[in-house]
Amino acid sequence: MKSLALISALACSGCFTTWAGMQAGGRSLAWDEQPREETVPLPAVEERLTITLPPSNGKVELTCTTSQRANETVYRAAYRYGSGWKKATALAFVTEAAAATLFLLTADREEPAGYAYGGFFALDALGTAALFFAPRKEQFSRSERTVNTPVRDDCPDGLMLEIAGTTFPVDAAGRIGEAGEVALDDWMKQRTGAVLVSLAGRTQELRIPMAATAYSTSTTLSVPVGTLTAVAE
C-alpha cells in the first residue's frame, strides 16, 4: 500500500518542488493555454523558378516549378495559469495530501522513512495549494517566418536554354526540340562552354557534374525572377 502510494505521489505530485526548480533555472512549468495566432503578410513577395534537368533515357525534358517566397509576421497570444493549470494543481494537491497523510499515520520507529516522505509531501502540498491561486498571466509573442507557396509546374513563356553559345527555346513541357537535344548530347561529350538558362533578362548557369553522362544526372537551380509582377507569363 505504501509503495503504491509513493509511486502515485511521485508520478502525480512534486508540483511545487518541480515548479520552483524550473523557475530557478529560468524556465516555466506552466504551459500555454488556448493559443491563438494571427499572421500578417509582409511586402516584397518573390517568385522563384526552379529548373531541373532530370535523368532520362529518351528526350530531354526540363521540369519547371514556380513558387512564391514571402515573409509574414506571426502574432501569438495565449495565457498561463488558467483553468487547465488549476485542474492540474488541484489533482496534485489531493494526491500529495493523501500521500502525506498515509505516510505520517503509518510511520513508526521501525519505518522512520515514513516521516520524511510524509513531511515532504505535506510541505509540497502546501506549496501546490498556493500555486492553485496563481493569477492568470497573458502571453504575447511576435516572430517572422518564411512561407513558400507552389504556383505552377510548367515552364514559363520566354525561358531559354543556352548550350555552348547557342540558344534554344524551352516550351511549356520543358522540351528543347531535336536540335537542342543534339546540342546537349554533344556538349555532354565535349564540355565546351556552359549551359545557361535565361528568363526575363536574368541568366544563370545550369551546373552539371563533371562525372555525369548524357541523361544520367539531375541538377536543380533556383532562378530568382523578381517580384510577382516581374514574372514573364
Side-chain angles (χ1 to χ4, degrees):
M1 184 66 177
K2 289 183 180 180
S3 297
L4 180 61
L6 179 60
I7 294 173
S8 300
L10 291 176
C12 303
S13 64
C15 180
F16 179 77
T17 302
T18 304
W19 176 85
M22 294 186 70
Q23 288 292 115
R27 301 172 61 188
S28 177
L29 178 63
W31 59 91
D32 290 348
E33 298 184 42
Q34 295 186 0
R36 303 175 302 282
E37 286 189 356
E38 294 290 340
T39 59
V40 179
L42 296 176
V45 176
E46 182 187 41
E47 279 201 355
R48 299 187 71 88
L49 173 64
T50 300
I51 302 171
T52 306
L53 177 61
S56 172
N57 294 322
K59 294 183 177 181
V60 177
E61 291 185 358
L62 301 174
T63 60
C64 302
T65 304
T66 304
S67 61
Q68 291 181 3
R69 184 177 184 273
N71 293 325
E72 63 183 16
T73 302
V74 181
Y75 296 92
R76 190 175 189 275
Y79 64 84
R80 294 178 179 177
Y81 305 109
S83 59
W85 173 263
K86 293 186 180 299
K87 292 176 183 178
T89 52
L91 175 62
F93 170 78
V94 171
T95 304
E96 290 174 321
T101 301
L102 176 63
F103 281 113
L104 290 175
L105 290 178
T106 57
D108 52 30
R109 292 182 178 179
E110 295 181 359
E111 296 187 24
Y115 293 111
Y117 287 130
F120 167 77
F121 289 122
L123 291 174
D124 203 87
L126 292 176
T128 301
L131 290 179
F132 177 87
F133 297 99
R136 176 167 150 164
K137 183 179 180 181
E138 299 290 339
Q139 297 288 315
F140 299 99
S141 65
R142 176 182 178 276
S143 61
E144 290 188 7
R145 67 186 177 192
T146 301
V147 179
N148 290 297
T149 305
V151 177
R152 53 190 292 182
D153 57 4
D154 60 338
C155 294
D157 235 1
L159 181 64
M160 308 294 289
L161 186 67
E162 182 180 323
I163 305 171
T166 304
T167 301
F168 302 91
V170 181
D171 64 17
R175 293 186 290 267
I176 58 176
E178 292 184 5
E181 292 178 10
V182 172
L184 181 60
D185 189 52
D186 291 341
W187 183 90
M188 296 290 287
K189 297 174 182 176
Q190 302 294 329
R191 299 279 179 163
T192 302
V195 177
L196 306 175
V197 288
S198 60
L199 176 69
R202 298 173 183 265
T203 302
Q204 296 285 344
E205 182 178 356
L206 186 63
R207 297 183 180 276
I208 301 176
M210 291 297 297
T213 58
Y215 315 120
S216 64
T217 185
S218 64
T219 183
T220 302
L221 177 68
S222 292
V223 183
V225 293
T227 60
L228 178 61
T229 55
V231 178
E233 294 292 344

